[in-house]
Amino acid sequence: MQFDDDADLDTSEVQDVRGSRIPGGRATVGGGIAGLIALLLGLFFGVGPDQLGLSSGNEEPAATSSSLAQVQQTCHKGRDANSKDDCRIVAVVNSVQDFWRPEFQRRQGTYSPAQTILFSGRTGTACGTATSAVGPFYCPGDRRVYLDLGFFDDLRSKFGSSGGPFAQAYVVAHEYGHHVQNLMGTLRRSQDGRTGRDSNAVKVELQADCYAGVWARHATRSPDDRTGRTLISSLDDNDIRDGLDAAAAVGDDRIQEKFQGRVTPESWTHGSAEQRQQWFYEGYRTGDMGRCNTFR
C-alpha cells in the first residue's frame, strides 16, 4: 500500500493523546490475566468496553497534561504516511472517510465524520475508562475510534499475523465499519447479550469486516473532497493478503485455541477466522455495501 507523496493529510480527524495522564478511577481492564480475559471475551476489534460490562463508568475523565499532539506536528503529506506508522493511521482515517461521505450521499444519507483517538496506556471515553488491553474499539457513546499503536506489534507477535501496512489499515477500516453501523442504526443489534457463531454480536462484527473490504475496493478511487487528490495511490494483491491474514489471526477460534487450548463456538463474539476472511473478501470482491447483509 502506497500513499500519494504530495497528498495533504487532514490531522483534524485524529486526536493524539499519547502521553496524557487520566486522573482517578481504575482502568477498564488491567494487564496480565485481566488483559487475557479481555482477549478471550473478544472485545478487541469491536465496540466500546460497556458492551461487555467492563467499563468503570460513563464519565470521560479529563487529561491532566497536554497532548503530545505528535501527528499534528509531523503528519502533513502522503510521504509522511509512507514512512511513519502514526501518519499512516491519519492517512487511512482520511481515506476511509473520503469513501463513506459520498457513499452515504449516493444513498441519500448523511455521513457524520468520526475522530480516531491515538492513546497509550489508558484513556477516558464515553464508554468508560479503557486500557490498551482491550485493543482497538469504537465507542458509540462519543462516536470515536480508540487505538493504541502498540496493538499492531501484538498483532504480529502474539496473534501471528503477517503484519504490514494494510493489516493496520484493515483494523482502522473495520472500526469505521462500526461507525457506519452506528449511523445506520444496525450497531445496536449486537447489544442483546447473546454470543455464538450465529449471534447478532458476530453478525455485526462480520458486517464491519465486509465494510472494511468495500472501502478497500474503492480506496484508490476515493478523492479527498478538499483537494480532489486520492490519498492511496496503489493497493495490490499482497496488501489484500495481509488484510485477510490479519482477519484470520483475530478469529475467535484462533484466539481461543491459542489462549485457552480449546474452541468454544457458543462464546464467540466476532466470528471464526474463516468467517472474518469470507466477509472481508466479499466486501472487497463486490465493492458493494449492499452485499454486506450478514443478518440474512
Side-chain angles (χ1 to χ4, degrees), residues 4-295:
D4 178 351
D5 280 345
D6 296 319
D8 293 328
L9 302 185
D10 181 2
T11 57
S12 70
E13 293 184 347
V14 175
Q15 183 180 358
D16 188 353
V17 299
R18 291 173 293 175
S20 296
R21 293 189 297 111
I22 303 299
R26 60 185 179 82
T28 302
V29 222
I33 189 64
L36 178 58
I37 291 171
L39 296 179
L40 294 179
L41 286 171
L43 176 58
F44 60 89
F45 269 43
V47 290
D50 59 332
Q51 300 295 100
L52 294 178
L54 298 177
S55 174
S56 61
N58 291 323
E59 295 182 1
E60 182 176 349
T64 59
S65 64
S66 60
S67 165
L68 295 178
Q70 182 174 327
V71 296
Q72 282 75 20
Q73 297 170 13
T74 62
C75 303
H76 305 294
K77 294 287 186 177
R79 65 175 62 91
D80 300 319
N82 283 324
S83 60
K84 302 171 185 175
D85 282 354
D86 49 5
C87 297
R88 183 179 302 120
I89 298 305
V90 175
V92 172
V93 168
N94 291 169
S95 174
V96 168
Q97 301 202 104
D98 284 343
F99 168 70
W100 286 116
R101 285 187 191 95
E103 180 66 13
F104 266 61
Q105 185 176 18
R106 188 174 71 84
R107 294 173 178 271
Q108 287 74 55
T110 301
Y111 179 80
S112 300
Q115 271 196 330
T116 285
I117 310 298
L118 297 182
F119 73 98
S120 56
R122 63 176 177 143
T123 191
T125 83
C127 296
T129 304
T131 74
S132 301
V134 304
F137 68 91
Y138 172 73
C139 175
D142 56 26
R143 294 186 173 184
R144 291 174 172 176
V145 171
Y146 290 87
L147 174 63
D148 186 324
L149 294 179
F151 172 77
F152 296 126
D153 293 329
D154 291 341
L155 191 59
R156 292 188 299 270
S157 63
K158 294 182 180 179
F159 303 109
S161 168
S162 60
F166 191 78
Q168 299 176 7
Y170 156 71
V171 172
V172 173
H174 172 96
E175 296 308 331
Y176 274 87
H178 286 312
H179 180 56
V180 169
Q181 292 171 321
N182 195 28
L183 295 177
M184 296 179 67
T186 54
L187 186 59
R188 61 177 177 266
R189 299 180 72 167
S190 67
Q191 299 173 8
D192 60 10
R194 298 179 181 177
T195 61
R197 183 184 181 94
D198 297 317
S199 66
N200 282 338
V202 166
K203 291 174 182 178
V204 161
E205 296 299 333
L206 297 179
Q207 186 176 63
D209 282 335
C210 188
Y211 286 163
V214 171
W215 159 74
R217 169 56 65 186
H218 298 280
T220 58
R221 302 190 298 272
S222 298
D224 183 275
D225 55 9
R226 296 174 301 114
T227 66
R229 297 185 77 119
T230 301
L231 274 168
I232 297 179
S233 56
S234 68
L235 195 65
D236 61 26
D237 290 344
N238 289 329
D239 295 314
I240 300 305
R241 278 194 289 271
D242 283 343
L244 288 167
D245 187 71
V250 293
D252 283 327
D253 53 340
R254 293 271 187 96
I255 292 170
Q256 289 177 339
E257 180 67 34
K258 184 176 183 65
F259 290 100
Q260 67 183 24
R262 67 186 187 282
V263 177
T264 54
E266 65 275 9
S267 66
W268 288 359
T269 58
H270 285 61
S272 68
E274 181 182 7
Q275 286 176 306
R276 300 200 72 165
Q277 285 187 318
Q278 172 193 340
W279 281 103
F280 171 77
Y281 192 73
E282 177 69 8
Y284 178 72
R285 181 183 66 83
T286 66
D288 180 5
M289 68 180 299
R291 299 292 292 272
C292 295
N293 183 8
T294 56
F295 296 94

